[in-house]
Amino acid sequence: MSELTAGGDADRRQASNAGLFFRRWMANPLQMGSIIPSSPSLCRRIAALVERAADEVVLELGAGTGVVSRALLAAGVPAERLVVVEIVPAMAEHLRAVMPGVQVICGDAFALERALPAHWHGRVGTAICGIPLVLLPLAQQRRFVAAVEAVAPGRGFLLYTYCVTSPLPHGKLGLRARREAWTPLNFPPASVWRYQPRR
Ligand SMILES: C[S@@+](CC[C@H](N)C(=O)[O-])C[C@H]1O[C@@H](n2cnc3c(N)ncnc32)[C@H](O)[C@@H]1O
């Protein structure tokens, strides 16, 4: 395939991604939390923070149109070791179409114990959260933390956000928090936080 054709395909894919994202934002702004997908710069920074043993998976929660997922694949996560969870059926369908080999679960990240196949429980290297947790009440945030802990005990999760300070009240949630990356090349500029259970 020529570079010209490849560029054209990439441009068309990006435009259709952005269109789907924007339509979902119009339908449910709180669930989407953002008007456009994360930038390539942010996606690369997230992918660089992933830790995984050979027999573990990367679990992405709130995959949207798959921009972070594709950065994970580009960074070397094998497709069969990437599990993504997306609550919107049209987006899950899109993810299945554009990322063959990746396990796409159309389900609720707050009910991971049910949504994630049992053979992956306890075998999650890194969980990544794209869900706008900062917009949720504390009780919902607690439910999310418990849901991740149920399938990835002791691991915690990465959360990307536009907040400069911790988007989660980590003390109240029993978590340690560390800001591990920041990029101005996102709209708006974004940080990546790592949260882990306090022992
Ligand atoms: C801010 S977007 C992030 C999309 C993409 N990862 C990116 O970086 O552009 C949040 C995504 O989380 C999804 N989402 C929201 N609540 C969810 C839930 N409870 N379970 C799974 N996905 C959820 C939304 O449908 C949306 O696709």
Side-chain angles (χ1 to χ4, degrees):
M1 191 187 292
S2 76
E3 267 184 44
L4 192 64
T5 314
D9 284 350
D11 288 349
R12 272 192 294 282
R13 198 173 57 215
Q14 208 174 354
S16 89
N17 284 350
L20 175 59
F21 207 96
F22 182 68
R23 285 194 299 280
R24 287 309 313 167
W25 179 80
M26 295 277 280
N28 193 338
L30 278 186
Q31 192 178 55
M32 291 305 289
S34 167
I35 195 166
I36 50 170
S38 298
S39 71
S41 169
L42 175 58
C43 295
R44 279 195 301 273
R45 278 167 174 73
I46 297 164
L49 294 173
V50 159
E51 295 161 357
R52 181 187 73 84
D55 64 339
E56 291 179 331
V57 289
V58 176
L59 177 62
E60 188 193 349
L61 307 169
T65 51
V67 287
V68 174
S69 328
R70 278 192 289 275
L72 293 166
L73 296 172
V77 177
E80 67 278 10
R81 290 284 186 260
L82 178 57
V83 179
V84 306
V85 179
E86 171 53 55
I87 202 164
V88 174
M91 288 188 140
E93 222 173 276
H94 169 85
L95 291 165
R96 285 193 191 104
V98 297
M99 296 191 304
V102 171
Q103 187 168 347
V104 178
I105 296 171
C106 184
D108 185 358
F110 289 74
L112 272 179
E113 212 169 349
R114 256 203 328 272
L116 187 71
H119 60 275
W120 293 125
H121 291 198
R123 290 175 64 200
V124 174
T126 301
I128 302 167
C129 178
I131 298 165
L133 296 182
V134 67
L135 303 175
L136 302 178
L138 183 63
Q140 285 278 86
Q141 294 175 348
R142 283 207 171 102
R143 274 189 59 215
F144 178 84
V145 171
V148 173
E149 186 62 15
V151 300
R155 292 301 178 101
F157 55 93
L158 296 174
L159 176 67
Y160 45 102
T161 171
Y162 310 136
C163 304
V164 178
T165 55
S166 171
L168 297 179
H170 50 95
K172 290 182 182 165
L173 293 168
L175 301 171
R176 282 183 285 132
R178 205 168 60 222
R179 186 181 181 224
E180 297 203 341
W182 178 78
T183 177
L185 301 177
N186 190 71
F187 181 77
S191 298
V192 188
W193 287 76
R194 190 185 295 275
Y195 292 96
Q196 283 173 314
R198 269 208 232 122
R199 293 285 178 215

